Amino acid sequence: MNSASLVPTIQQSWQRTIRPIGAAALHGIAFLDNKLIAIDAIKGHLLQIDPASDNTTILNSTQVSEFVDVTGIALWEDTLWCTREDTVYSCQMGDFTLKPFVTLPYPANGVAVWETTVYVTCQKSGYILIFNRSTGRQITKFYAPGVGIENITVRGEELWVSDTTEQTVYYLDRATGEIKFSLLTPFECPTGLAFHSNSQTSQETLYVAYASEEAYIRDNPNMEPSHELTYRDRTFIHPLHYHYNPSGRYALSNGYLLEMSYVEELSPLDEVKLEQVEWRIALPSETDRQKVRHIEAIGLPFTEELQGGQRVAVFKFNSLKPGERHLFGWKALIEVRGIKYRLTPRDLENIPELSPEFQGRYLVDDDELAMDTAIVRRAANEAIGTETNLLWKMFKIRNYVYDQLAYGIKPHIDTPDVVLDRGVGSCGEYVGVLLALSRLNDIACRTVGRYKCPSYAEQQGVPLQPDYNHVWLEFYVPGLDLWLPMESNPDDVMEQGPYPSRFFMGLAWYHVEIGKGISFESVTSKGLPLNKEEVSIGELAINHIRFTILEELPPF
């Protein structure tokens, strides 16, 4: 048997990760028929890669130094275009003698070519600059869709832009620069993108390159103990699949089938006796991006009830006696995908007021939000100024909270007035402040959580445990009847912004939505909630959370 038949071809594989041999940091990529062309920015290697086998050839073997720090490439006919530092270059394929095309006042990041037009991304300027290929003159410019370093490719009347900081790929109208929709990528730090057309089916697949560093522990016999934490390059190329739902105003991207289990181990710090106990644990939700295939009990059976439209497992004990021990919880099989909603402030003009039901449910202080304190009320006013548009108000509130707070792990959750005064908060405390400021500005919102699967999509079939629990929120748009997700703190990544908006109206695949707007877990005894001053859930039991990524979901 021919060995070539043992490996999948690019036409056969929809989920294969391409890992070029010897590559350190892939940036711009392009296709030349069925061969993938990529630039390794660290080594200066212009690589030709077989996507089916990872077989890799250095094309510019005698001109490597000229290609060090090249960050973007494009192919048009027999000409290679690239960006290095502040200059855009071109050369003939096979010659690789770089000739300057245009020099910018700032670093040029990515390049794309379509017929007589050259598109150049420039983070420092905040624009996509557009030039005439024959004269080198600038024709016009579009606003850059994100805040990070961007690469770009062209497909017909479409511009596609990847952003390293935003963890996002944007689809823009080539004539106007208008964003049509955007996609969260399944991995961090996308650094390049290109479409491949299947010669047999004419089906096109979008491939995205990624480059970052990963931490790992290695042996070091000179240390005691004999291992150390260090970092290594992590770079690869993976297909990005997507489905745009215009009526739902969202786009879905790659997803995974997860097995998640949540189990409580009854192990009180101090022995107690409780009668007629009902222990409620929220179950995973059904959403636009999350589908629950199956749920089963672990340890002890449960009944199921609906609470605020959310599924909840109820474990019942006639009594819990001193010395009694149990394991109980649930295991779920869940499909999760990335989602990104696309709305503009114009879409939210002239929306109706909240219904009295929603005002009474989602504009009140129902969770120690300190909404009547002076510091929280002052922050609510400062955050929005004179803004009246709901989307702009929510965006300004988010940015205001990011300006005021720095992220830090706390042993317990303080109220928003304490957090604002301190200037440091955990994800739960960010959520508390966001909820308080939003509700005081007449924006209905609710808490969502409570866990994220460790985002190691390549580690399939391996039990994974999250380091912490996690919460975020959703805000409601009346008239459109949409609950839009917004992360609590992960986009607060730089001092005083500009902040990425990847998780403003978006969630990555690894977010698991459980118990929207309700308590994740509660315990009653004889029909009454536990007195937290006497005993809390954390003092009664130890929780065990486990994820297993089973497989990548097929394309749409």
Side-chain angles (χ1 to χ4, degrees), residues 7-13 15-20 30-37 48-56 196 207 237 239:
V7 296
T9 67
I10 194 168
Q11 286 84 3
Q12 295 169 331
S13 177
Q15 63 179 8
R16 185 176 190 276
T17 299
I18 302 166
R19 300 183 185 277
F31 275 96
L32 184 61
D33 299 322
N34 280 343
K35 297 297 183 182
L36 180 57
I37 309 300
Q48 177 177 289
I49 305 158
D50 183 344
S53 66
D54 294 343
N55 192 5
T56 306
H196 174 264
Y207 283 81
I237 301 163

Side-chain angles (χ1 to χ4, degrees), residues 132-197:
N132 181 288
R133 182 163 65 93
S134 300
T135 66
R137 288 188 175 183
Q138 184 176 328
I139 303 168
T140 187
K141 60 185 178 181
F142 299 146
Y143 285 112
V147 302
I149 293 175
E150 296 178 337
N151 226 312
I152 189 169
T153 192
V154 185
R155 182 177 69 164
E157 298 305 309
E158 306 166 357
L159 290 178
W160 291 78
V161 178
S162 64
D163 189 298
T164 56
T165 304
E166 299 279 4
Q167 195 180 329
T168 298
V169 167
Y170 302 88
Y171 159 39
L172 285 65
D173 185 294
R174 190 167 68 88
T176 65
E178 178 188 0
I179 301 174
K180 295 298 186 180
F181 61 80
S182 54
L183 307 164
L184 282 169
T185 59
F187 308 96
E188 293 182 340
C189 298
T191 52
L193 70 172
F195 281 93
H196 174 264
S197 180

Side-chain angles (χ1 to χ4, degrees), residues 343-526:
L343 288 96
T344 67
R346 183 177 299 177
D347 297 324
L348 274 63
E349 292 177 353
N350 303 316
I351 58 175
E353 291 186 359
L354 281 172
S355 67
E357 176 193 355
F358 270 48
Q359 290 182 37
R361 187 173 176 183
Y362 297 114
L363 296 185
V364 297
D365 186 344
D366 59 357
D367 193 20
E368 299 181 7
L369 298 177
M371 290 167 57
D372 59 348
T373 60
I375 189 173
V376 172
R377 287 186 170 275
R378 182 171 64 252
N381 290 329
E382 291 176 352
I384 68 162
T386 60
E387 185 58 61
T388 60
N389 184 277
L390 187 150
L391 199 61
W392 274 124
K393 286 200 297 184
M394 198 70 227
F395 194 69
K396 286 190 169 187
I397 289 169
R398 183 198 80 141
N399 289 354
Y400 177 87
V401 173
Y402 287 2
D403 285 345
Q404 300 299 312
L405 300 184
Y407 180 68
I409 299 293
K410 308 295 292 182
H412 60 274
I413 302 295
D414 283 320
T415 55
D417 55 330
V418 174
V419 176
L420 283 168
D421 183 62
R422 186 176 61 220
V424 176
S426 64
C427 66
E429 291 170 327
Y430 269 75
V431 163
V433 176
L434 289 165
L435 287 172
L437 272 53
S438 301
R439 291 182 177 184
L440 283 169
N441 282 295
D442 299 324
I443 302 172
C445 47
R446 64 188 183 186
T447 305
V448 188
R450 167 166 177 165
Y451 290 97
K452 294 193 295 187
C453 174
S455 57
Y456 309 128
E458 64 274 31
Q459 295 186 22
Q460 297 180 18
V462 179
L464 303 169
Q465 294 182 335
D467 293 323
Y468 310 101
N469 62 18
H470 186 67
V471 289
W472 56 97
L473 59 84
E474 291 180 332
F475 63 96
Y476 182 72
V477 181
L480 300 180
D481 194 27
L482 282 176
W483 282 101
L484 300 176
M486 189 179 82
E487 257 288 16
S488 49
N489 63 283
D491 279 339
D492 189 2
V493 295
M494 55 191 76
E495 190 72 25
Q496 299 299 310
Y499 304 109
S501 56
R502 54 184 174 164
F503 300 135
F504 184 75
M505 301 191 292
L507 289 177
W509 66 266
Y510 42 78
H511 291 79
V512 178
E513 297 167 280
I514 305 174
K516 297 188 175 196
I518 65 171
S519 295
F520 173 76
E521 194 167 12
S522 63
V523 179
T524 61
S525 176
K526 295 181 179 180

Side-chain angles (χ1 to χ4, degrees), residues 81-131:
W81 296 75
C82 65
T83 52
R84 189 188 69 196
E85 297 176 343
D86 59 358
T87 302
V88 180
Y89 298 89
S90 68
C91 65
Q92 295 298 302
M93 284 295 289
D95 181 355
F96 304 124
T97 301
L98 297 180
K99 300 176 182 177
F101 168 71
V102 67
T103 297
L104 309 181
Y106 306 114
N109 306 130
V111 62
V113 181
W114 186 261
E115 296 181 344
T116 61
T117 309
V118 179
Y119 302 84
V120 181
T121 59
C122 177
Q123 180 202 26
K124 188 73 172 180
S125 71
Y127 290 100
I128 299 171
L129 307 173
I130 303 170
F131 298 88

Side-chain angles (χ1 to χ4, degrees), residues 14-317:
W14 51 263
Q15 63 179 8
R16 185 176 190 276
T17 299
I18 302 166
R19 300 183 185 277
I21 298 169
L26 300 171
H27 281 253
I29 61 174
F31 275 96
L32 184 61
D33 299 322
N34 280 343
K35 297 297 183 182
L36 180 57
I37 309 300
I39 185 67
D40 186 329
I42 292 178
K43 296 182 177 181
H45 295 169
L46 184 66
L47 304 175
Q48 177 177 289
I49 305 158
D50 183 344
S53 66
D54 294 343
N55 192 5
T56 306
T57 303
I58 299 174
L59 297 177
N60 62 333
S61 55
T62 61
Q63 292 147 301
V64 166
S65 61
E66 291 189 51
F67 284 79
V68 172
D69 295 328
V70 165
T71 54
I73 64 169
L75 288 170
W76 183 256
E77 297 175 342
D78 60 349
T79 302
L80 173 73
W81 296 75
C82 65
T83 52
R84 189 188 69 196
E85 297 176 343
D86 59 358
T87 302
V88 180
Y89 298 89
S90 68
C91 65
Q92 295 298 302
M93 284 295 289
D95 181 355
F96 304 124
T97 301
L98 297 180
K99 300 176 182 177
F101 168 71
V102 67
T103 297
L104 309 181
Y106 306 114
N109 306 130
V111 62
V113 181
W114 186 261
E115 296 181 344
T116 61
T117 309
V118 179
Y119 302 84
V120 181
T121 59
C122 177
Q123 180 202 26
K124 188 73 172 180
S125 71
Y127 290 100
I128 299 171
L129 307 173
I130 303 170
F131 298 88
N132 181 288
R133 182 163 65 93
S134 300
T135 66
R137 288 188 175 183
Q138 184 176 328
I139 303 168
T140 187
K141 60 185 178 181
F142 299 146
Y143 285 112
V147 302
I149 293 175
E150 296 178 337
N151 226 312
I152 189 169
T153 192
V154 185
R155 182 177 69 164
E157 298 305 309
E158 306 166 357
L159 290 178
W160 291 78
V161 178
S162 64
D163 189 298
T164 56
T165 304
E166 299 279 4
Q167 195 180 329
T168 298
V169 167
Y170 302 88
Y171 159 39
L172 285 65
D173 185 294
R174 190 167 68 88
T176 65
E178 178 188 0
I179 301 174
K180 295 298 186 180
F181 61 80
S182 54
L183 307 164
L184 282 169
T185 59
F187 308 96
E188 293 182 340
C189 298
T191 52
L193 70 172
F195 281 93
H196 174 264
S197 180
N198 186 311
S199 57
Q200 297 178 358
T201 67
S202 297
Q203 180 179 353
E204 291 191 299
T205 302
L206 176 60
Y207 283 81
V208 177
Y210 301 87
S212 60
E213 289 186 329
E214 62 180 357
Y216 76 105
I217 296 174
R218 71 175 182 182
D219 291 337
N220 186 340
N222 296 319
M223 295 188 68
E224 183 61 41
S226 60
H227 45 264
E228 64 179 340
L229 176 66
T230 188
Y231 293 85
R232 60 189 172 196
D233 296 322
R234 179 174 183 255
T235 192
F236 55 89
I237 301 163
H238 194 80
L240 179 61
H241 305 293
Y242 60 90
H243 169 73
Y244 178 53
N245 184 325
S247 61
R249 301 173 183 262
Y250 65 81
L252 297 173
S253 51
N254 297 45
Y256 296 85
L257 180 64
L258 306 180
E259 180 184 271
M260 177 188 177
S261 60
Y262 184 91
V263 177
E264 290 286 7
E265 177 188 349
L266 191 62
S267 181
L269 293 178
D270 297 307
E271 297 296 347
V272 296
K273 182 177 181 180
L274 298 173
E275 301 289 344
Q276 300 174 30
V277 174
E278 292 189 352
W279 198 305
R280 288 172 170 80
I281 306 174
L283 296 169
S285 306
E286 288 276 345
T287 71
D288 290 331
R289 58 169 289 276
Q290 179 172 293
K291 307 302 175 189
V292 181
R293 287 193 187 180
H294 176 73
I295 295 178
E296 63 186 61
I298 292 179
L300 298 174
F302 63 78
T303 59
E304 192 173 318
E305 66 181 27
L306 285 178
Q307 185 178 332
Q310 302 294 302
R311 298 171 66 185
V312 177
V314 184
F315 297 88
K316 297 181 179 181
F317 305 86

